[in-house]
Amino acid sequence: MIAALRCIYQHAIADGFLPESANPAIRVPKPRRLASTRRALTDAQLSQVSAIASTTGNDPELDTLLLRLHVETACRRGGALALRPIDLDVEQCLIRLREKGETVRWQPVSPTLMQNLVEHGQQRGGEDRRGQLLRYRTGKPITRRRYDYLWERVGKHLPWVAIQGISTHWLRHTTLTWVERNFGYAIARAFAGHTGRNDAGSTSTYVRADIHEVATATAALTGENHPLVETSH
């Protein structure tokens, strides 16, 4: 709220409605952001969530695809919802993710996930290559409410999910923690799509991982060969 009010007053000053000295938002201290309570899920917990998602609800096929997409790529909800058929590079097993901050990146995926995404688009999206990829059986594009429904349903079957407030972003933590532990910080940072210097300081300028290294991590994570790993040797 404080950040929003500061923005409003800055625009008012820039447009000449107020002098800079009359900005009360500057004098209000902004509370320190608390550390996130999110953490990586264990293999057992992730298996439980997947089992419930794939056996309950009105569209378990869709929910299973959503979970695999997020676990395999660590993408955000916005990136998944913005995905289009035209963003699928089938030959190289890459998907184009457009996420917050207007960032765009190509993320490696397993051949199985790529096949599932292609089939999903063909069955539910028709010929619209630039339309949203993820859709209900009716062809209607999904929204963030699908995620709310998914986690609410899983929480009814798994009390710990509801109690701890598990959400899609926990899957991102889970995957990135695994990548960092097994492949190091630089590859985990690239896997996450972090590009700003404030994510890691100036050192990140010298330790950037390339897409082949991210593909190698993806191959290890999924247990499937990846085209970029094969062609990089």
Side-chain angles (χ1 to χ4, degrees):
M1 183 185 73
I2 293 175
L5 290 174
R6 284 180 177 178
C7 180
I8 291 174
Y9 276 102
Q10 287 172 357
H11 279 289
I13 292 170
D15 292 341
F17 292 107
L18 289 174
E20 191 167 352
S21 59
N23 185 353
I26 294 180
R27 296 189 291 272
V28 180
K30 192 173 181 180
R32 180 176 59 88
R33 177 175 293 183
L34 299 177
S36 173
T37 60
R38 300 188 187 102
R39 55 176 173 75
L41 301 180
T42 65
D43 290 343
Q45 289 175 325
L46 189 57
S47 295
Q48 291 177 33
V49 169
S50 299
I52 296 300
S54 63
T55 57
T56 64
N58 58 15
D59 197 343
E61 181 181 343
L62 170 62
D63 293 335
T64 300
L65 180 61
L66 282 177
L67 288 181
R68 173 149 192 168
L69 173 62
H70 285 282
V71 170
E72 195 169 307
T73 67
C75 68
R76 300 176 177 86
R77 288 191 308 179
L81 293 174
L83 199 59
R84 306 164 299 175
I86 200 174
D87 295 323
L88 306 181
D89 183 338
V90 178
E91 182 179 356
Q92 298 189 88
C93 283
L94 298 172
I95 63 172
R96 179 165 45 199
L97 293 173
R98 293 168 291 139
E99 297 186 317
K100 69 176 186 178
E102 298 183 351
T103 60
V104 179
R105 75 179 188 279
W106 287 100
Q107 185 78 13
V109 298
S110 67
T112 297
L113 177 56
M114 177 60 72
Q115 180 181 356
N116 291 341
L117 290 171
V118 170
E119 291 177 352
H120 179 90
Q122 292 173 342
Q123 295 169 3
R124 303 192 179 193
E127 302 297 327
D128 188 3
R129 295 277 299 159
R130 296 185 177 275
Q132 185 174 325
L133 175 67
L134 298 171
R135 297 172 180 263
Y136 295 105
R137 289 193 182 99
T138 61
K140 181 180 179 181
I142 69 169
T143 66
R144 292 177 182 269
R145 295 188 63 180
R146 185 65 196 184
Y147 290 94
D148 297 336
Y149 165 74
L150 170 61
W151 291 110
E152 180 180 355
R153 185 177 86 246
V154 173
K156 290 180 179 178
H157 291 82
L158 302 173
W160 60 268
V161 169
I163 292 172
Q164 297 187 41
I166 306 298
S167 65
T168 306
H169 210 70
W170 287 62
L171 303 180
R172 180 172 167 84
H173 278 253
T174 301
T175 301
L176 295 178
T177 297
W178 186 91
V179 173
E180 190 277 330
R181 297 293 190 273
N182 289 276
F183 290 90
Y185 180 79
I187 295 179
R189 186 171 182 269
F191 207 107
H194 290 158
T195 56
R197 286 185 59 178
N198 60 340
D199 294 323
S202 58
T203 305
S204 62
T205 303
Y206 305 98
V207 294
R208 291 177 180 172
D210 62 28
I211 195 169
H212 297 283
E213 292 172 299
V214 175
T216 299
T218 299
L221 175 67
T222 62
E224 298 185 29
N225 293 330
H226 193 280
L228 294 186
V229 177
E230 296 172 351
T231 59
S232 64
H233 295 292

